[in-house]
Amino acid sequence: MSSKGTLNKIRDLIKCSNYKRLGRCFESSRNKYFYDLGTGKVFQIEEEVKKILQLILCGDWKEAELCSENAIQEVYNAILEEEILQAPELKAYIGAQVYDLSSKLNNNRAQITLELTEKCNMRCKYCIYHDGNGGYREFGSNDMTFEIAKLAIDDLMKNSADEKSVFISFYGGEPLLKFELIKRCVNYCEKIKNKNISYAITTNGTLINEEVATFFAELGDRIHITVSLDGPKYMNDKYRVYANDKGTFDDVVRGVKLLVKRFKEAGKGISLGINSVLSEYEQDDLNNIELFFKSQDWIPKETVYTSSFVSTKDREMDYLGVDSEVETELIENSRKIKGYFDPLFDWAKDDKGKDVTSKLIAKDNMIKELAMIHRRLLFRHPMKYYYMCGCCVPGARRIYVTTRGDYLICEKLGEAPSIGNVYKGLDIEKIKRIYVDDYCEKTIEFCNDCWAVHLCGMCYMNCYDKDGINLKLRHSKCIMNRIYIEKNLELYHELLESNSQVISVLNDYDFS
């Protein structure tokens, strides 16, 4: 059969008008690959097959006729045998259909995060609360009362009948400004006998004293403590300052050392996290941060390190389509310019063939991203359903309780409609309307256009403003997300080729 005849057969088998969404060609330093959307399979391919697939994905059938007849036949055989390039159109999300929202929210709630105060004793120069910093919140003067906290706790306990374990997190502002409220909440929870209750707190660490350290040590590893510290003193104190512009490094280190000491004296293991905001991220900066943390023998070896870049306010953008000029330029620049797209990613994978999870400040980020590839959905036949990407069941996985007692989806979401309050509980009808029906209706058009929809971890973040869904806030994030996913596909297969033992740690990653 001629090349044209085989291509016509391929065209007849592909029941899709938007070819670009059906898969993605990518490559490691050694090999070329094709990811198929419908099945989740990844195939190692030769250059000529890659060329044909790329032409098919672009709908350039005329140019494809000039390719090798053997390679065209190979693609045709793969379609017949492996059922690639057969992903059905996205018309509905299975996540919106399979769970009973009322049952889930009345029986399976797992966590609340209590915004104990809008106040903070620091004025970090990059903080999302900082006036004029482009963040989505502002400092306030409100504190949560115990009455509001108690109502939120009671509501969690009442509606988590099918959950043996629940989690209560303390957040701010700076939550240790309300340490007495933390103690009251914990003491109240400790009287509840039918649940395993764990706690978490995110703190700047400056207010940790003997009383705080002793109280937390009594809880042992039932409380996870995340402290913010950006690295060595000269880096931390450049941005993490008090209102009088004095650096905070010494106070944070003193506080964390005291915590570690009290836990050790109590014979309890400490569950500690250190979060660093990477305000400066040249390679030397990242090396210095890494060296600092590795050289501090007072930091427990089990400490979990997380890192992020400075948050900025979401900006609206019109939809440009997949592989637009803007996206293509970003992809090209990310390949040519080291650190252009994600300095931490490029720094962490700098030494090919080595363990990219060995860098403390990048390990959690890298494992999470690679685990998304490693644990992707895989099917013999094209998957008929599409999940709601990284969206949780709103209100079930976690609820953010404001100082006034309003319920929001989570602390990471900016301005967005509330989902209830401590007085009336969750507004299930509102949740269904705004965070299920509206979300599904408005996102399908764009997600159906995307080859990465089954690998996507994007959630409700960057989708809402105070009035409801606003996808113009998300379009730029979708571009960045696709670039991340392609880079992760490349890195994952690079590791499979050169250091497959690294992959073994991905099976146990907890996405919660």
Side-chain angles (χ1 to χ4, degrees), residues 36-292:
D36 179 63
L37 170 66
T39 62
K41 300 172 186 175
V42 173
F43 301 89
Q44 185 177 325
I45 56 177
E46 298 300 325
E47 176 62 39
E48 191 70 11
V49 171
K50 177 188 175 185
K51 182 179 178 181
I52 295 169
L53 286 169
Q54 286 181 317
L55 290 170
I56 290 174
L57 295 176
C58 292
D60 194 344
W61 297 95
K62 198 70 177 175
E63 186 69 24
E65 291 178 15
L66 303 176
C67 294
S68 157
E69 188 172 333
N70 288 337
I72 294 173
Q73 186 66 43
E74 187 175 338
V75 173
Y76 177 63
N77 292 340
I79 294 174
L80 293 178
E81 297 168 10
E82 299 291 346
E83 299 186 55
I84 66 170
L85 301 175
Q86 301 289 298
E89 298 280 344
L90 168 55
K91 296 180 180 178
Y93 295 105
I94 190 173
Q97 300 168 343
V98 299
Y99 61 73
D100 182 334
L101 193 63
S102 295
S103 175
K104 193 81 172 173
L105 297 182
N106 291 331
N107 298 287
N108 294 102
R109 296 191 209 170
Q111 177 178 337
I112 54 172
T113 299
L114 302 176
E115 182 189 46
L116 302 185
T117 179
E118 297 174 347
K119 303 170 187 174
C120 186
N121 62 325
M122 289 173 58
R123 287 297 183 271
C124 301
K125 296 177 182 179
Y126 51 60
C127 183
I128 60 172
Y129 290 84
H130 200 290
D131 184 35
N133 195 49
Y136 52 78
R137 298 175 184 166
E138 296 179 356
F139 287 112
S141 58
N142 292 310
D143 293 327
M144 180 177 282
T145 64
F146 177 67
E147 288 68 28
I148 287 177
K150 180 178 178 297
L151 285 170
I153 294 168
D154 289 345
D155 196 30
L156 172 65
M157 300 306 165
K158 176 184 176 183
N159 293 286
S160 59
D162 293 343
E163 301 291 329
K164 293 181 179 179
S165 301
V166 294
F167 303 86
I168 297 173
S169 298
F170 302 111
Y171 205 76
E174 171 47 48
L176 287 181
L177 287 170
K178 298 290 291 180
F179 179 59
E180 291 303 316
L181 178 56
I182 293 173
K183 287 198 299 183
R184 289 191 71 181
C185 289
V186 171
N187 290 336
Y188 179 73
C189 289
E190 294 300 283
K191 297 175 183 176
I192 299 171
K193 301 302 181 185
N194 62 336
K195 296 286 182 186
N196 296 319
I197 303 175
S198 297
Y199 308 92
I201 184 170
T202 301
T203 173
N204 62 40
T206 61
L207 299 176
I208 298 172
N209 55 26
E210 290 281 357
E211 183 184 8
V212 170
T214 300
F215 182 78
F216 287 164
E218 291 174 357
L219 294 171
D221 60 7
R222 290 174 54 213
I223 183 167
H224 180 73
I225 305 163
T226 299
V227 179
S228 299
L229 183 63
D230 288 354
K233 182 180 175 70
Y234 78 94
M235 297 185 76
N236 184 86
D237 286 358
K238 189 172 181 179
Y239 298 96
R240 299 192 59 78
V241 297
Y242 292 113
N244 63 3
D245 214 37
K246 178 187 175 184
T248 60
F249 178 88
D250 292 337
D251 290 337
V252 177
V253 171
R254 173 200 50 77
V256 179
K257 284 183 175 180
L258 183 57
L259 266 181
V260 174
K261 181 181 179 182
R262 289 292 169 264
F263 271 78
K264 185 175 181 179
E265 289 173 346
K268 304 285 184 68
I270 184 171
S271 179
L272 178 66
I274 293 179
N275 181 67
S276 301
V277 176
L278 306 175
S279 51
E280 296 183 9
Y281 38 77
E282 294 294 333
Q283 187 160 350
D284 285 346
D285 298 321
L286 298 175
N287 284 336
N288 288 338
I289 296 170
E290 181 79 3
L291 180 61
F292 167 76

Side-chain angles (χ1 to χ4, degrees), residues 387-404:
Y387 290 94
M388 292 172 65
C389 301
C391 294
C392 62
V393 179
R397 182 179 176 186
R398 66 175 70 184
I399 297 173
Y400 186 68
V401 189
T402 70
T403 56
R404 295 178 174 84

Side-chain angles (χ1 to χ4, degrees), residues 4 40-41 44 56 64 77 138 145 166 184 187 211 277 340 349 359 376 389 406-407 423-424 427 434 459 467 509:
K4 185 175 181 180
K41 300 172 186 175
Q44 185 177 325
I56 290 174
N77 292 340
E138 296 179 356
T145 64
V166 294
R184 289 191 71 181
N187 290 336
E211 183 184 8
V277 176
Y340 174 85
K349 73 175 187 64
K359 305 287 182 69
R376 68 189 184 276
C389 301
D406 290 323
Y407 283 166
Y423 305 105
K424 297 182 179 180
D427 187 335
I434 296 176
C459 64
D467 298 317
Y509 184 81

Side-chain angles (χ1 to χ4, degrees), residues 16 22 27 31 92 109 135 197 231 242 247 254 270 276 298 317 323 435 452 464 488:
C16 178
L22 296 176
E27 54 188 86
N31 295 301
R109 296 191 209 170
I197 303 175
Y242 292 113
R254 173 200 50 77
I270 184 171
S276 301
W298 52 270
M317 174 182 176
D323 288 335
Y435 292 103
Y464 289 85
N488 288 325

